[in-house]
Amino acid sequence: MPEFEIQLRDVMLFATHGVMQEESVTGNQYRVNVRLRLDADSFDVDKDDLGSTISYAEVFDLLRCVMECRVALLETVAVKFAREVCNRWPSVKSGWIEIVKTVPPIPNMIGEAGVRYDF
């Protein structure tokens, strides 16, 4: 069965998620990757119509909206995003979201920290 994978890659967003209180003030830069898999059977190449697929601009708008709502855990952000995707676009068969905190507030750590949620 043919499928499409809608992708957002290396999206950079600023947000204030985190367990530590100072993160709600200083915030952090996040890099987000999203993959959504959907059936391609309903895609009509002759119509060349966005209505038979998912607009990545709409996926980005949803991502931005979910990222703007402060929570403590990135796991919470990931699950909220996945639930909204599945509610809004029933044609999504599966997907994943990866959220990476590019400068985690961990003493003496050089690198990134994040989560990936498969749904």
Side-chain angles (χ1 to χ4, degrees):
M1 176 177 299
E3 295 180 327
F4 282 113
E5 186 173 88
I6 306 300
Q7 303 177 5
L8 297 181
R9 295 186 201 155
D10 297 328
V11 175
M12 301 301 290
L13 295 167
F14 183 83
T16 57
H17 307 300
V19 175
M20 297 180 195
Q21 185 60 35
E22 64 266 18
E23 290 179 286
S24 67
V25 177
T26 60
N28 211 315
Q29 189 72 27
Y30 293 85
R31 186 178 62 253
V32 183
N33 293 295
V34 173
R35 304 289 188 272
L36 304 177
R37 297 189 66 86
L38 56 145
D39 284 335
D41 283 341
S42 62
F43 183 76
D44 187 343
V45 70
D46 295 324
K47 288 186 180 178
D48 194 31
D49 178 32
L50 185 58
S52 61
T53 186
I54 297 174
S55 164
Y56 45 80
E58 288 183 32
V59 176
F60 171 75
D61 287 342
L62 175 61
L63 174 63
R64 187 177 41 78
C65 182
V66 172
M67 287 290 291
E68 286 175 354
C69 297
R70 179 179 170 21
V71 296
L73 303 176
L74 295 182
E75 290 85 345
T76 302
V77 177
V79 171
K80 285 183 174 188
F81 175 79
R83 286 181 180 166
E84 287 294 323
V85 163
C86 293
N87 285 335
R88 187 175 296 190
W89 298 291
S91 61
V92 172
K93 295 172 51 177
S94 65
W96 58 263
I97 179 171
E98 176 185 57
I99 307 168
V100 177
K101 190 177 286 192
T102 61
V103 186
I106 302 171
N108 303 314
M109 180 182 159
I110 298 172
E112 301 173 329
V115 300
R116 177 177 156 158
Y117 179 62
D118 293 276
F119 56 95

